Amino acid sequence: MGDVRLRATGPAAPATVWERYADTRLWPTWSPQVRRVEVGEGSPRLRPGLAGQVVGTLGVRVTFVVDEVDEGAMTWSWHVRVGPVRMALDHGVRAHDDGTLTVLRITAPTPVAAAYAPLAQIALQRLVRR
């Protein structure tokens, strides 16, 4: 299993960055690999047990379940699956200088974590932009 840790800093306010995470309808605005997020009935806001699919480029569908959300601490974790491949992702947002630091830990088979890391880094950088 691989364990990759990424981080990005930018000028966006922590509350703005958190909201970009918390409202799954906003994911395509900062994550270039996400076309849309499909969830079942109810709110598209992050909450433990929220399940659905991320529809990516070329129609790739990634099934997910949100495991934990702490709005006060601005942290959340989820696990995703594409076919037999599973990944766990842990996210955090916090104030940093005049903006935000966001962190991501990817736990997945080493080749998968290594392949996903560059895309995730681009998304993180876009997440914290103004």
Side-chain angles (χ1 to χ4, degrees):
M1 253 337 182
D3 186 25
V4 175
R5 294 172 190 258
L6 304 174
R7 57 187 286 143
T9 59
T16 299
V17 173
W18 176 253
E19 192 58 28
R20 290 174 181 166
Y21 268 144
D23 185 343
T24 62
R25 295 170 298 187
L26 297 177
W27 292 4
T29 67
W30 55 268
S31 184
Q33 64 269 29
V34 175
R35 294 295 172 248
R36 70 182 178 279
V37 178
E38 299 174 351
V39 297
E41 297 291 320
S43 170
R45 190 162 186 86
L46 288 181
R47 64 186 180 282
L50 179 68
Q53 291 188 329
V54 173
V55 181
T57 54
L58 305 176
V60 174
R61 291 179 170 269
V62 178
T63 301
F64 72 87
V65 176
V66 174
D67 300 312
E68 297 179 26
V69 178
D70 184 333
E71 291 237 11
M74 292 188 289
T75 60
W76 69 286
S77 62
W78 61 327
H79 63 274
V80 302
R81 183 176 51 81
V82 178
V85 178
R86 291 178 56 95
M87 291 195 313
L89 301 110
D90 301 300
H91 300 267
V93 173
R94 60 182 173 262
H96 177 75
D97 295 333
D98 290 331
T100 298
L101 165 68
T102 187
V103 295
L104 167 61
R105 177 180 174 196
I106 304 167
T107 305
T110 301
V112 174
Y116 182 64
L119 289 173
Q121 187 66 53
I122 291 168
L124 291 179
Q125 290 167 332
R126 291 171 50 120
L127 179 68
V128 297
R129 73 176 184 230
R130 192 167 309 277

